[in-house]
Amino acid sequence: MPRTKIWRSFGNHISDHPELTLLSFLGDPSAIAVAQQRQIRFPTLINFKADSAYDPNPFNLNLDFEWVRTKQLLLCLMTWGPELVKHVTLECAQLQECEEISGRPDLSLLEREILELLRQYVKNPVKATMKKLAKKTGKCEEIYAPYADNPDDPHGLYIWHRLAAPWFASRVHTNDWSLQVYDGALPREAQSTWILRNSVFPSYVAEGAAYWTSYEAVHDVIREASSTWAQERF
């Protein structure tokens, strides 16, 4: 597959200065000033919107504006790689936890267990924790399986809404982010198929968290988490 327009125009600058270009993309005035002074180019939202690889609504469906805006941002962030996306999806999943949703105790317990394992893994990314996360992900899939062919079933919807954000945040962290042969050549962040394929689980996280809050709230959390992630590494 051909490289994205974004990578052809800005790829070298993004790979050489990931934190600075990310902060500049997010609109940080200090970062923009430094980038301009050092002649480091960074993409804007206008640039991303001109690249079909980052289209959040390719079939022109009648989608909520805030959801399209949030999905667009997630697609843009794929350009800076998996570690950033893992960070923002955990923050999104924790939005649901903050709502302190009452309901089935087994689902509440599973949600808390997943989020705690995710926090542990962020602090200390060891294989043992990864295996535990994968097991919890499998438990989510097992619970939802009876309703997979009938997603409009009320019981299935309840399970989906309760588990989606932590469930797919776990999938994001345990995902195989490697570049596949059909994706194209390295770097992976330059390839449209890699971006689209690996943005599915993060989108589910955002959608799940937005059910209990709003797409606008999720969008704000993603932006803030992205900025924090970049500033801590800058």
Side-chain angles (χ1 to χ4, degrees):
M1 296 296 293
R3 292 189 173 195
T4 63
K5 293 179 182 177
I6 289 293
W7 203 265
R8 292 199 299 270
S9 298
F10 306 99
N12 290 339
H13 297 270
I14 292 171
S15 59
D16 291 343
H17 309 279
E19 295 84 8
L20 180 60
T21 52
L22 175 57
L23 287 169
S24 298
F25 162 70
L26 294 170
D28 184 285
S30 299
I32 292 172
V34 171
Q36 291 175 340
Q37 183 181 31
R38 296 168 58 184
Q39 297 185 321
I40 296 170
R41 301 180 67 234
F42 59 90
T44 66
L45 187 57
I46 292 174
N47 298 127
F48 280 108
K49 287 183 175 181
D51 190 334
S52 60
Y54 300 91
D55 188 348
N57 189 16
F59 302 110
N60 294 315
L61 302 177
N62 185 24
L63 302 178
D64 182 283
F65 170 78
E66 289 295 339
W67 171 226
V68 173
R69 190 169 74 110
T70 301
K71 191 174 180 182
Q72 175 88 77
L73 179 58
L74 278 172
L75 283 166
C76 294
L77 296 181
M78 295 292 293
T79 310
W80 282 273
E83 296 310 312
L84 170 61
V85 178
K86 290 177 186 178
H87 177 75
V88 299
T89 51
L90 175 55
E91 294 297 317
C92 287
Q94 290 179 143
L95 270 182
Q96 179 171 317
E97 181 185 35
C98 291
E99 291 302 303
E100 299 182 351
I101 307 155
S102 60
R104 279 177 51 176
D106 62 325
L107 301 184
S108 298
L109 176 60
L110 183 55
E111 175 192 354
R112 291 195 301 271
E113 289 175 338
I114 290 174
L115 289 171
E116 182 54 36
L117 284 170
L118 285 170
R119 288 188 281 259
Q120 289 178 20
Y121 187 75
V122 168
K123 292 180 181 178
N124 185 24
V126 296
K127 289 183 178 179
T129 307
M130 178 68 76
K131 288 182 179 179
K132 291 179 182 178
L133 273 173
K135 187 175 181 179
K136 296 299 179 184
T137 298
K139 183 65 176 177
C140 292
E141 293 168 353
E142 177 185 328
I143 292 172
Y144 183 71
Y147 311 99
D149 294 330
N150 186 18
D152 294 326
D153 182 282
H155 299 290
L157 282 171
Y158 176 78
I159 293 169
W160 178 268
H161 291 314
R162 281 307 317 271
L163 293 179
W167 172 6
F168 288 101
S170 180
R171 289 295 300 266
V172 169
H173 279 72
T174 57
N175 184 37
D176 178 6
W177 290 88
S178 60
L179 190 75
Q180 303 301 313
V181 174
Y182 52 79
D183 288 323
L186 289 168
R188 55 191 175 181
E189 293 82 4
Q191 300 298 338
S192 59
T193 53
W194 182 89
I195 291 167
L196 295 173
R197 180 166 56 82
N198 289 288
S199 65
V200 173
F201 294 153
S203 294
Y204 286 164
V205 177
E207 192 170 10
Y211 178 82
W212 300 102
T213 55
S214 68
Y215 288 125
E216 186 175 9
V218 171
H219 182 275
D220 291 345
V221 163
I222 291 172
R223 282 189 63 90
E224 182 178 350
S226 300
S227 178
T228 300
W229 182 88
Q231 288 171 348
E232 289 176 348
R233 290 158 178 77
F234 188 40

mmCIF file of all heavy atoms in Angstrom, residues 9 39 48 75 90 92 113 154 157 168 174 180 205-206 212 232:
data_model
loop_
_atom_site.group_PDB
_atom_site.id
_atom_site.type_symbol
_atom_site.label_atom_id
_atom_site.label_comp_id
_atom_site.label_asym_id
_atom_site.label_seq_id
_atom_site.Cartn_x
_atom_site.Cartn_y
_atom_site.Cartn_z
ATOM 1 N N SER A 9 4.456 13.969 3.505
ATOM 2 C CA SER A 9 4.714 15.399 3.708
ATOM 3 C C SER A 9 5.429 15.708 5.013
ATOM 4 O O SER A 9 6.255 16.621 5.080
ATOM 5 C CB SER A 9 3.390 16.176 3.676
ATOM 6 O OG SER A 9 2.754 16.047 2.428
ATOM 7 N N GLN A 39 12.280 25.177 12.086
ATOM 8 C CA GLN A 39 11.833 24.739 10.748
ATOM 9 C C GLN A 39 11.431 23.260 10.732
ATOM 10 O O GLN A 39 11.763 22.509 9.803
ATOM 11 C CB GLN A 39 12.916 25.025 9.709
ATOM 12 C CG GLN A 39 13.220 26.515 9.540
ATOM 13 C CD GLN A 39 14.205 26.788 8.426
ATOM 14 O OE1 GLN A 39 15.170 26.055 8.232
ATOM 15 N NE2 GLN A 39 13.958 27.855 7.668
ATOM 16 N N PHE A 48 -4.851 16.467 7.812
ATOM 17 C CA PHE A 48 -5.405 15.132 8.020
ATOM 18 C C PHE A 48 -6.719 14.954 7.270
ATOM 19 O O PHE A 48 -6.995 13.888 6.712
ATOM 20 C CB PHE A 48 -5.606 14.867 9.514
ATOM 21 C CG PHE A 48 -4.354 14.474 10.241
ATOM 22 C CD1 PHE A 48 -3.733 15.351 11.113
ATOM 23 C CD2 PHE A 48 -3.798 13.216 10.058
ATOM 24 C CE1 PHE A 48 -2.583 14.987 11.792
ATOM 25 C CE2 PHE A 48 -2.645 12.837 10.734
ATOM 26 C CZ PHE A 48 -2.034 13.726 11.601
ATOM 27 N N LEU A 75 -7.903 8.767 14.855
ATOM 28 C CA LEU A 75 -7.198 8.384 13.631
ATOM 29 C C LEU A 75 -5.927 9.204 13.459
ATOM 30 O O LEU A 75 -4.874 8.672 13.084
ATOM 31 C CB LEU A 75 -8.119 8.569 12.427
ATOM 32 C CG LEU A 75 -9.187 7.499 12.223
ATOM 33 C CD1 LEU A 75 -10.232 7.973 11.215
ATOM 34 C CD2 LEU A 75 -8.556 6.194 11.756
ATOM 35 N N LEU A 90 -6.615 4.148 27.770
ATOM 36 C CA LEU A 90 -6.746 3.893 29.211
ATOM 37 C C LEU A 90 -7.448 5.064 29.885
ATOM 38 O O LEU A 90 -8.335 4.871 30.727
ATOM 39 C CB LEU A 90 -5.376 3.660 29.844
ATOM 40 C CG LEU A 90 -5.371 3.512 31.378
ATOM 41 C CD1 LEU A 90 -6.331 2.415 31.833
ATOM 42 C CD2 LEU A 90 -3.962 3.230 31.882
ATOM 43 N N CYS A 92 -9.566 7.072 28.540
ATOM 44 C CA CYS A 92 -10.981 6.998 28.151
ATOM 45 C C CYS A 92 -11.721 5.959 28.982
ATOM 46 O O CYS A 92 -12.840 6.201 29.452
ATOM 47 C CB CYS A 92 -11.111 6.636 26.675
ATOM 48 S SG CYS A 92 -10.682 7.963 25.533
ATOM 49 N N GLU A 113 -11.251 -5.032 37.635
ATOM 50 C CA GLU A 113 -10.067 -5.883 37.502
ATOM 51 C C GLU A 113 -9.261 -5.522 36.259
ATOM 52 O O GLU A 113 -8.023 -5.459 36.306
ATOM 53 C CB GLU A 113 -10.492 -7.357 37.467
ATOM 54 C CG GLU A 113 -10.997 -7.893 38.789
ATOM 55 C CD GLU A 113 -11.525 -9.312 38.677
ATOM 56 O OE1 GLU A 113 -11.893 -9.741 37.552
ATOM 57 O OE2 GLU A 113 -11.579 -10.006 39.713
ATOM 58 N N PRO A 154 -31.531 -6.521 24.299
ATOM 59 C CA PRO A 154 -31.335 -5.649 25.466
ATOM 60 C C PRO A 154 -30.255 -6.147 26.429
ATOM 61 O O PRO A 154 -29.492 -5.346 26.970
ATOM 62 C CB PRO A 154 -32.711 -5.649 26.138
ATOM 63 C CG PRO A 154 -33.667 -5.973 25.047
ATOM 64 C CD PRO A 154 -32.941 -6.904 24.123
ATOM 65 N N LEU A 157 -26.908 -5.541 24.764
ATOM 66 C CA LEU A 157 -26.584 -4.114 24.800
ATOM 67 C C LEU A 157 -26.097 -3.700 26.179
ATOM 68 O O LEU A 157 -25.151 -2.913 26.310
ATOM 69 C CB LEU A 157 -27.812 -3.285 24.407
ATOM 70 C CG LEU A 157 -28.135 -3.208 22.917
ATOM 71 C CD1 LEU A 157 -29.482 -2.543 22.697
ATOM 72 C CD2 LEU A 157 -27.042 -2.437 22.179
ATOM 73 N N PHE A 168 -12.151 -3.125 25.506
ATOM 74 C CA PHE A 168 -11.360 -2.821 24.322
ATOM 75 C C PHE A 168 -10.098 -2.020 24.640
ATOM 76 O O PHE A 168 -9.154 -2.018 23.845
ATOM 77 C CB PHE A 168 -12.235 -2.152 23.271
ATOM 78 C CG PHE A 168 -13.190 -3.132 22.653
ATOM 79 C CD1 PHE A 168 -14.522 -3.182 23.044
ATOM 80 C CD2 PHE A 168 -12.739 -4.056 21.729
ATOM 81 C CE1 PHE A 168 -15.386 -4.117 22.501
ATOM 82 C CE2 PHE A 168 -13.590 -5.002 21.184
ATOM 83 C CZ PHE A 168 -14.927 -5.038 21.570
ATOM 84 N N THR A 174 -3.190 -5.370 24.476
ATOM 85 C CA THR A 174 -2.716 -6.721 24.153
ATOM 86 C C THR A 174 -2.681 -6.963 22.638
ATOM 87 O O THR A 174 -2.343 -8.053 22.190
ATOM 88 C CB THR A 174 -3.630 -7.788 24.804
ATOM 89 O OG1 THR A 174 -4.987 -7.596 24.366
ATOM 90 C CG2 THR A 174 -3.588 -7.676 26.322
ATOM 91 N N GLN A 180 2.105 -5.888 9.207
ATOM 92 C CA GLN A 180 1.914 -7.128 8.467
ATOM 93 C C GLN A 180 2.351 -6.936 7.008
ATOM 94 O O GLN A 180 2.451 -5.806 6.521
ATOM 95 C CB GLN A 180 0.452 -7.551 8.532
ATOM 96 C CG GLN A 180 -0.071 -7.725 9.940
ATOM 97 C CD GLN A 180 0.689 -8.759 10.742
ATOM 98 O OE1 GLN A 180 0.949 -9.864 10.254
ATOM 99 N NE2 GLN A 180 1.063 -8.426 11.967
ATOM 100 N N VAL A 205 -13.321 1.791 22.372
ATOM 101 C CA VAL A 205 -13.096 2.337 23.724
ATOM 102 C C VAL A 205 -13.763 3.700 23.855
ATOM 103 O O VAL A 205 -14.489 3.972 24.818
ATOM 104 C CB VAL A 205 -11.590 2.467 24.036
ATOM 105 C CG1 VAL A 205 -11.393 3.103 25.419
ATOM 106 C CG2 VAL A 205 -10.901 1.111 23.979
ATOM 107 N N ALA A 206 -13.501 4.559 22.884
ATOM 108 C CA ALA A 206 -14.060 5.909 22.917
ATOM 109 C C ALA A 206 -15.580 5.884 22.886
ATOM 110 O O ALA A 206 -16.249 6.613 23.634
ATOM 111 C CB ALA A 206 -13.522 6.721 21.742
ATOM 112 N N TRP A 212 -21.491 6.640 28.572
ATOM 113 C CA TRP A 212 -21.748 7.020 29.962
ATOM 114 C C TRP A 212 -21.441 8.496 30.219
ATOM 115 O O TRP A 212 -21.773 9.021 31.280
ATOM 116 C CB TRP A 212 -20.902 6.149 30.892
ATOM 117 C CG TRP A 212 -21.217 4.696 30.735
ATOM 118 C CD1 TRP A 212 -20.490 3.763 30.057
ATOM 119 C CD2 TRP A 212 -22.376 4.010 31.217
ATOM 120 N NE1 TRP A 212 -21.107 2.546 30.095
ATOM 121 C CE2 TRP A 212 -22.260 2.660 30.808
ATOM 122 C CE3 TRP A 212 -23.483 4.406 31.975
ATOM 123 C CZ2 TRP A 212 -23.227 1.707 31.125
ATOM 124 C CZ3 TRP A 212 -24.448 3.443 32.283
ATOM 125 C CH2 TRP A 212 -24.311 2.125 31.864
ATOM 126 N N GLU A 232 5.347 14.997 28.938
ATOM 127 C CA GLU A 232 6.167 14.193 29.851
ATOM 128 C C GLU A 232 7.402 13.636 29.165
ATOM 129 O O GLU A 232 8.393 13.309 29.827
ATOM 130 C CB GLU A 232 5.330 13.045 30.416
ATOM 131 C CG GLU A 232 4.274 13.501 31.415
ATOM 132 C CD GLU A 232 3.397 12.344 31.880
ATOM 133 O OE1 GLU A 232 3.468 11.250 31.260
ATOM 134 O OE2 GLU A 232 2.645 12.533 32.841
#
